[in-house]
Amino acid sequence: MANEQIPKTAPAVVFEKINGPIVYKEDHPVTQPQDLKPGEVLVKIECTGVCHTDLHAWKGDWPMPPKQPLVGGHEGAGHIVAIADGTTTTFKVGDAVGIKWLADSCLNCENCRMGAEMTCSLAQCHGYTVDGSFQRYAVSYARHCTPIPDGLPLEVAAPVLCAGVTVWKAIKEANCKPGDWLVVSGAGGGLGHLAVQYATAIGLRVVGIDTGDDKKKLLDQYGADAFIDFKNFRDEGALIKEVKRVCGGEGPHAAVIASAGGAAYNDALEYIRPHGSLVAVGLPPDTDIKANVFWTVFRNVRIIGSYVGNRQDAIEALDFALRGKVKPQIVTEPLKNLEDVYKRMESGGIPGRIVLKC
Ligand code: NAD
Ligand code: ZN
């Protein structure tokens, strides 16, 4: 089912091999409506966020390598232009949808039934196990597309589809109540700047940790209680002391670690107050969390891994944006800039999110 002419080729960014050339192509093949399998939809992507996960994928940072060649990207926002014959869905051609990291799951196993679709053994991931949103026409799965509410601009929705969903879920995992202190590490990045906003929206007191004046300036707009520039606290134990001082001496009730480097994890174990939660979100390669058993037990510390969010988390995360409670900081650029965006991301130089126009 399609009601517009679908071109045979369209722009995409592709890499053939991990760490290989990142190639912008004007003439990447487009899956035609008659070639979609039941359950699949063709989405015309208007814009896509660039997540640090996309950079990890290209660098081959993680234990399971991505599919190759790969079209990366998993914060795609656009419109359905075709629905495979034989698909049961309430979506119609023309609907605005988001395609997220979680491209598909079975919806029938214990994980899926519990709303933990991300750990379904049949889960597929956009921009990793299947092609993603760094292209004008992407194949996705009707049952996992996220409806984008009327009135929310697509470029604002895009960063919410991974960064927003992930941190909203992570904050829920932290199990804080209004007035509690939450540290967001990596607070000026794509995930972090949204975490600060979700947290303040639900009445938490927030301390952002990151580096540089641009990121401080950004976070000052969001009502964070404090910004700590980690580069100013290099002496051993200095950052831990400062975090505790800022949070009234006891340390925060929870920390969401959304930085792509490993250092932040072990500091957090020391500055969290007893009964506090460390919510692990950032995915630096080859990194262990070194928790001393005695102190973990004695201080009742909880260490929680938090991996994206489910379909309901996505709808909730977008609703904050629709109501203006969360405003992604975005700069829009053309799709062909992806390689340059990776360079800037690697050096930690992007406050908020870059959104590419497809
Ligand atoms: P980003 O590059 O936009 O932001 C990372 C931020 O961390 C930067 O602002 C950087 O300055 C800051 N930083 C680096 N070292 C730091 C330190 N020691 N202390 C405090 N801040 C530090 O990246 P992003 O897109 O926000 O992604 C962040 C991480 O989260 C990546 O590893 C990504 O793969 C991961 N991620 C995880 C999930 C999940 O489901 N758990 C989902 C999306 C992304
Ligand atoms: Zn992501």
Side-chain angles (χ1 to χ4, degrees):
M1 196 178 12
N3 62 5
E4 69 173 64
Q5 193 61 38
I6 309 297
K8 296 276 186 282
T9 61
V13 180
V14 188
F15 65 81
E16 293 288 325
K17 276 206 240 130
I18 282 170
N19 278 307
I22 295 167
V23 183
Y24 173 76
K25 296 181 174 175
E26 290 280 357
D27 58 352
H28 189 68
V30 173
T31 302
Q32 297 298 295
Q34 65 274 17
D35 298 327
L36 293 171
K37 297 188 208 61
E40 292 180 348
V41 292
L42 187 66
V43 181
K44 185 175 184 189
I45 305 285
E46 302 293 337
C47 55
T48 173
V50 183
C51 177
H52 209 113
T53 289
D54 300 309
L55 176 55
H56 290 304
W58 172 67
K59 287 166 66 184
D61 274 343
W62 296 339
M64 317 88 70
K67 93 179 245 295
Q68 293 158 68
L70 181 72
V71 175
H74 57 276
E75 289 185 346
H79 296 92
I80 293 182
V81 291
I83 299 176
D85 290 341
T87 303
T88 305
T89 179
T90 52
F91 284 126
K92 301 177 301 306
V93 167
D95 284 353
V97 292
I99 70 169
K100 309 186 296 298
W101 175 255
L102 197 61
D104 196 25
S105 74
C106 78
L107 296 188
N108 210 21
C109 66
E110 181 179 318
N111 286 287
C112 286
R113 289 195 303 269
M114 294 191 312
E117 300 140 12
M118 63 295 282
T119 43
C120 171
S121 63
L122 298 176
Q124 297 293 332
C125 303
H126 275 305
Y128 212 81
T129 65
V130 294
D131 284 343
S133 55
F134 296 152
Q135 56 182 339
R136 190 166 296 159
Y137 289 89
V139 174
S140 193
Y141 301 82
R143 59 191 178 183
H144 274 279
C145 284
T146 302
I148 296 181
D150 284 349
L152 187 63
L154 295 182
E155 65 270 22
V156 178
V160 177
L161 292 163
C162 176
V165 173
T166 300
V167 298
W168 171 234
K169 168 74 182 339
I171 289 168
K172 289 196 285 186
E173 292 282 1
N175 206 18
C176 290
K177 54 186 191 311
D180 281 357
W181 286 101
L182 177 81
V183 162
V184 176
S185 178
L191 269 63
H193 88 291
L194 295 178
V196 170
Q197 296 179 63
Y198 283 103
T200 53
I202 61 166
L204 305 185
R205 285 184 283 183
V206 184
V207 177
I209 304 180
D210 210 307
T211 189
D213 288 344
D214 287 353
K215 292 182 182 161
K216 179 181 184 320
K217 222 183 280 167
L218 180 65
L219 297 184
D220 283 348
Q221 303 167 30
Y222 302 142
D225 289 74
F227 175 81
I228 299 176
D229 189 323
F230 67 87
K231 290 200 173 152
N232 295 339
F233 296 89
R234 287 183 192 276
D235 294 347
E236 201 179 330
L239 183 69
I240 295 161
K241 233 191 234 166
E242 178 63 2
V243 173
K244 285 189 168 181
R245 186 190 71 75
V246 167
C247 300
E250 290 276 349
H253 298 82
V256 170
I257 309 300
S259 54
Y265 277 101
N266 294 316
D267 285 342
L269 279 174
E270 296 207 33
Y271 61 59
I272 275 174
R273 72 173 63 188
H275 304 277
S277 307
L278 182 164
V279 188
V281 172
L283 289 163
D286 301 320
T287 302
D288 296 324
I289 300 175
K290 294 205 182 79
N292 177 279
V293 171
F294 179 83
W295 290 114
T296 304
V297 173
F298 214 65
R299 301 178 67 245
N300 284 269
V301 170
R302 302 191 310 147
I303 301 172
I304 301 160
S306 190
Y307 175 33
V308 292
N310 64 19
R311 292 169 301 158
Q312 177 63 18
D313 298 319
I315 284 170
E316 292 170 7
L318 284 168
D319 189 55
F320 277 83
L322 180 67
R323 290 183 287 124
K325 302 288 180 196
V326 165
K327 294 185 183 137
Q329 161 64 32
I330 52 176
V331 170
T332 52
E333 299 189 18
L335 180 62
K336 63 175 179 322
N337 282 16
L338 181 63
E339 184 173 8
D340 188 63
V341 174
Y342 283 166
K343 285 185 188 139
R344 283 175 269 154
M345 186 172 262
E346 181 83 67
S347 65
I350 301 175
R353 214 29 143 206
I354 303 288
V355 173
L356 303 176
K357 290 276 186 194
C358 297

